[in-house]
Amino acid sequence: MVLDPSLQAGRDRPRKHLRAATTEAPAVRWTLIAIGLLFLAVFLLLPLAAVFYEALRGGVAAYAEAITDPDAMAAIRLTLLIAAISVPCNLVFGLAAAWAVAKFEFKGKSLLVTLIDLPFSVSPVISGLVYILLFGSQSLLGPWLARHGIGIVFAVPGIVLATIFVTFPFIARELIPLMQEQGTGEEEAAISLGASGWKTFLLVTLPNVKWGLLYGVLLCNARAMGEFGAVSVISGHIRGVTNTMPLHVEILYNEYAFSAAFAVASLLALLALLTLVLKTALEWRFADNIVAARGH
Amino acid sequence: MIRLVRLAALGASLLLAGPAMAQTTLLNVSYDPTRELYKAYNTAFAAHWKAETGEDIVLRQSHGGSGAQARAVIDGLDADVVTLALEADIDAIASKTGKIPADWRKRLPNLSAPYTSTIVFLVRKGNPKGIKDWGDLIKDGVEVITPNPKTSGGARWNYLAAWAYAEQQSGGDEAKTKEFVGTLFKHVPVLDTGARGSTTTFVQRGIGDVLLAWENEAFLALEELGPDQFEIVVPSLSIKAEPPVALVDGNVDQKGTRKVAEAYLEYLYSKDGQTIAAKNFYRPSKPELADPEDLKRFPDVKLVTIDDPLFGGWAKTQPAHFGDGGIFDQIYKPAN
């Protein structure tokens, strides 16, 4: 980005003058920082600490037992499976949609953008329910599916569908502004130098958005593993078969197995923390590349 | 990218392999408070079946509000047997899907109810508000916890027990009965959707002075969370709740599990089944088969039943009281 000359001129002015014009008194600054930190502590760190405290209150052995319980293991496996299917699907879709929206002009573009946002505005319970209305045995398709022995609702495919629906916008929403900001200049250059469309996408577009893409994938993954509402409606709650981790936490809690519930919850929290650490580590390691990619 | 897809597919097939290799499985779709009961019963039945036939069997459970569970079976949840809180919920499956014959209640002893229960009060230790009977629930400053009769089977029994008491007190005056039950629901600060939700509201979150609960749920809360915190109060009159069980013919015939599913339900009436029911605080329908020590825990209560002339069975009670625009809708105005 080329800086406005008048701004650059401003930088040469005496420091003191600048600070007086743009910053508050130290007391105000510290108060604001303190409020921010307090908020963070009360609403984020405290609950997180409580989860781990409750989980480990019964001792490490009880914790290990809760997590290695066959139903808990099945829930963990299922949650990972759901994420392993729905994240790649949304990765492909998100990339394709963002590319189309950001780099091309076509009729119905704003409609497409609205549709991408739909899962954000719809309650997750509805997201689960629509698939029951579509594929349940009372639906039009239901009898045909039953005759052919295809189980969608109250089985893994239904949970995958609901999860994909709910996590649908994450990657596309992350990429669209980034791609729009980058414009089509580099792609035009590549094509004018004789690169094919596919090659342009792989060698120019994709490398430019890889950090945004990674961030989108991490967000999408976190939500895919943590989704409760939509999955709850369509899962059927069969222990060891269609119970994901968030559902298993609820079941354990309702069975007075509080420390086991918190043990599984802490595992979910750990997965989320791991995601965050991974993201921060990558950002730190490749800080220069990220600035370069963003600073076009 | 192709490599990534392949990898995902490989991972998916590995993860799926676990459940797919399992042997005969039976799915029991049940209501909220039976979790502990069927956990114990399934272990016993699996051992019994192994001894009888040499076959290993996997028993799966699904729990939730009785009405919601019935809805899931109607929408295609592949239940071999349903063990729900209300006859009306199984009737709904029978009429909407045809997977259960209309005369299902006659297929098993005691009108397909292997165990019964009743409604009691759970109060905080020392009974600080002095709650002894239904009449005490509408005193000033008493907060009552019950789930929503629209969604919870247990809550419908709560409501009907209160109705029976008010009916008796007023000598059959319907306006006064309605007024009593309406006032009672004005004392409810939180209306959860299921029985277990209400129990956690009362016990964990510490809201309310009295919980209207299944007898088995009240005993379980005492056992799990300590008798030093709560006590059970038995009202002068309550209702005999008969949670029924049924085979889902349409599903077992498709899956070829009829034989084992029938045995599963019949075994509930055996000595083992009845003993396990009593141990889990359900009143066995054949008390002579259960452990007398367990039976001593059940207090004597004067019980009305749903088939008494007052209610005239579920087929009449369900639409009259709980249908859209029914008596519950007329008397219940959420308190602010």
Side-chain angles (χ1 to χ4, degrees), chain A residues 71 77 80-81 84-85 88 91-92 95 132 136-138 146-147 153-154 156 235-241 251 253-256 258, chain B residues 1 4 8 12 15-16 27 35-36 39 60-63 71-72 74-77 96-97 196 199-200 204 217 220-221 224-225 254:
Chain A
D71 284 344
R77 262 204 312 269
L80 294 178
L81 170 72
I85 299 174
L91 174 80
V92 172
L95 250 181
I132 291 188
S137 41
Q138 300 293 303
R147 261 203 313 282
V153 292
F154 310 118
V156 175
S235 116
H237 303 273
I238 308 170
R239 286 167 160 246
V241 184
I251 284 193
Y253 187 79
N254 278 341
E255 284 173 10
Y256 306 114
F258 300 115
Chain B
M1 183 57 67
L4 196 74
L15 285 162
L16 276 176
L27 174 59
R35 300 157 194 260
E36 293 76 14
K39 210 176 215 171
R60 300 280 184 205
Q61 284 297 136
S62 168
H63 295 276
R71 186 71 240 174
I74 291 169
D75 283 327
L77 182 57
K96 291 224 167 67
T97 66
R196 195 46 74 85
T199 311
T200 12
Q204 283 302 117
E217 191 75 357
L220 186 73
E224 292 282 334
L225 302 148
Q254 197 180 18

Side-chain angles (χ1 to χ4, degrees), chain A residues 100-171:
Chain A
V101 167
K103 310 278 179 181
F104 299 94
E105 286 304 324
F106 54 92
K107 264 192 187 160
K109 186 160 138 175
S110 59
L111 183 72
L112 179 65
V113 176
T114 313
L115 282 178
I116 290 173
D117 277 342
L118 191 71
F120 273 158
S121 52
V122 169
S123 156
V125 176
I126 307 295
S127 322
L129 216 52
V130 287
Y131 289 109
I132 291 188
L133 294 178
L134 214 58
F135 300 118
S137 41
Q138 300 293 303
S139 69
L140 280 176
L141 284 171
W144 186 87
L145 290 170
R147 261 203 313 282
H148 292 80
I150 305 169
I152 292 184
V153 292
F154 310 118
V156 175
I159 303 178
V160 171
L161 279 176
T163 308
I164 289 180
F165 183 86
V166 170
T167 55
F168 194 62
F170 282 91
I171 294 174

